[in-house]
Amino acid sequence: MDSFAAVERALRGAAPHELPDVVRATLVKHYAATAVSLLMADYGATTLRPVDVLPSAAEPLFVHASTPGRAFGAQRPQVSSGGTPPVVTAHLPVTVRGDRLGVLTVTLPGARYSPEVLSELGDISEILGREIVVAARDTDLYLRARRADRLTLAAEMQWQLLPGQACSRPEFDLGAQLEPAYAVFGDTFDWSTSADHLTLTVANGTGEGIEAALLTGLAVNALRNARRAGLGLVDQACLADQAVYGQHRGAAHLSVLLLRFELATGRIEVVDAGSPRVWRLRDGALEPLEFEAQLPLGMFEDTIYQTQYAQVLPGDRLLCVSEGVCDAASPAGERYSERALARAVTSTRLLPASQVPRALLQELAGHCGRPPRPEDDALVLCLDWHGRP
């Protein structure tokens, strides 16, 4: 059995909590690695933290000020060499279908390094990422490693709702981020792909703390329940509306934007239920996509929703933002304007979709000042549309 196959087999047979130890032991045995470490990105995507059964004394590495951080951000291996005898250190992104999890760092003797070995290590890091996603169902090890601070209970509930923070397919690249990551209130997002469609949900929550998280959780699960039953976008909105109204009798409601993309054509079905805002960047020009606003979910009994339509073309970028972005205020009380958002979107136009939400929220944090924290949570979702050949 060759080295790559031996490592792959060992990872697939490892117990959920043993993946870091198994990848370390097998890379030492089959690739003569002298050091192996697994780093996970924290919830805010600002630091990389070591994975260990016991609390680690190692300092986290900042994404924007470290070599592993460059591998994480660029999603390309970063290789350095030196020493006597010479050694090579490779930092490899651990990513699953575009969702960036962390970085695998491997140090090898210079004599054992080659481009072919680097390619194999890249494949191993991808396999490791898939195994981590599966293992996270059965252990808290990887979720604990993501925490630079303690999550509030509401934030714990919100993060468990999310499908991930990024997704890639030939037709599109998608990324999203919530802030404040460790104390998010009620904003959320969801997506699902099939052979022919991408369905996106962007929700602007109301209220604070656990009440906001419970409201969002009810709405998102009602939408998923209707979607998984094969119902169309309008029926999804109607059933979620009934679920929220049935629970709260109009005392609480949720603003939601539902988008269903036809992958072959770029045609979009839209249900705008008091939605977050959407902008389209096309050929360098940023413009809002205006839809007829309908009632938020749960405001009144038996609300009737209607479908609207839009179109995306290859090369388009869509930005969805919650009220926490546009209504954020500086210490002097100045609101974050659409002009400021347009500048931020333009300045990040060369970044991949997975990095844009983090960059825009950092710009927003600069506007708001630190401290204080934003008055509301903020959500940014970025979609780059490539189209189907």
Side-chain angles (χ1 to χ4, degrees), residues 278-289 317-319 338-346:
V278 189
W279 277 265
R280 179 180 62 200
L281 183 64
R282 174 179 290 174
D283 298 329
L286 185 69
E287 60 180 350
L289 293 184
R317 168 170 283 183
L318 295 186
L319 275 300
E338 292 187 10
R339 181 177 299 177
L341 178 63
R343 285 197 303 267
V345 171
T346 301

Side-chain angles (χ1 to χ4, degrees), residues 9-311:
R9 182 175 180 180
L11 288 175
R12 296 195 186 283
H17 64 280
E18 291 180 341
L19 288 172
D21 292 335
V22 169
V23 74
R24 184 180 301 114
T26 53
L27 289 177
V28 168
K29 178 179 179 180
H30 297 284
Y31 287 86
T34 57
V36 178
S37 63
L38 172 62
L39 304 171
M40 296 287 289
D42 83 305
Y43 283 103
T46 58
T47 61
L48 295 168
R49 312 180 68 82
V51 179
D52 204 338
V53 174
L54 298 175
S56 176
E59 290 293 325
L61 300 175
F62 288 97
V63 167
H64 298 293
S66 65
T67 304
R70 287 195 292 273
F72 178 80
Q75 288 295 285
R76 291 192 299 270
Q78 300 290 316
V79 180
S80 60
S81 60
T84 304
V87 296
V88 176
T89 300
H91 305 281
L92 307 136
V94 178
T95 304
V96 180
R97 299 188 186 277
D99 194 11
R100 303 178 300 164
L101 304 181
V103 174
L104 177 67
T105 297
V106 184
T107 301
L108 305 169
R112 295 296 299 266
Y113 174 79
S114 68
E116 291 75 19
V117 167
L118 180 64
S119 177
E120 289 184 8
L121 293 176
D123 291 339
I124 288 170
S125 68
E126 182 178 345
I127 294 168
L128 176 62
R130 294 175 184 272
E131 292 300 317
I132 287 172
V133 170
V134 175
R137 300 180 307 179
D138 303 314
T139 177
D140 290 333
L141 178 65
Y142 309 103
L143 292 178
R144 285 205 309 266
R146 295 186 61 189
R147 299 177 185 218
D149 199 356
R150 182 173 179 177
L151 270 69
T152 64
L153 178 55
E156 185 86 49
M157 296 164 67
Q158 291 293 83
W159 281 102
Q160 291 301 310
L161 276 179
L162 301 182
Q165 289 178 269
C167 180
S168 291
R169 279 188 51 168
E171 298 89 352
F172 63 85
D173 288 304
L174 170 62
Q177 178 68 29
L178 298 173
E179 283 292 337
Y182 293 85
V184 64
F185 299 150
D187 290 0
T188 195
F189 55 86
D190 192 26
W191 60 67
S192 177
T193 65
S194 67
D196 300 310
H197 295 93
L198 163 68
T199 302
L200 283 181
T201 302
V202 182
N204 195 115
T206 58
E208 295 184 5
I210 294 175
E211 290 184 1
L214 288 171
L215 174 63
T216 302
L218 173 62
V220 168
N221 281 293
L223 289 167
R224 287 175 175 172
N225 179 259
R227 185 183 71 223
R228 292 165 183 171
L231 301 181
L233 217 58
V234 165
D235 289 333
Q236 292 174 34
C238 289
L239 289 182
D241 172 68
Q242 292 171 13
V244 174
Y245 184 84
Q247 182 68 27
H248 297 282
R249 314 306 295 180
H253 50 82
L254 193 74
S255 296
V256 173
L257 176 68
L258 299 174
L259 304 167
R260 189 168 186 259
F261 295 78
E262 192 173 74
L263 297 179
T265 65
R267 187 171 185 258
I268 317 172
E269 294 178 60
V270 182
V271 172
D272 184 338
S275 76
R277 306 174 194 181
V278 189
W279 277 265
R280 179 180 62 200
L281 183 64
R282 174 179 290 174
D283 298 329
L286 185 69
E287 60 180 350
L289 293 184
E290 302 288 353
F291 301 111
E292 181 181 346
Q294 301 174 70
L295 293 174
L297 302 183
M299 182 171 281
F300 297 105
E301 189 174 11
D302 297 328
T303 302
I304 303 299
Y305 293 95
Q306 296 181 344
T307 304
Q308 302 170 70
Y309 297 93
Q311 182 74 37

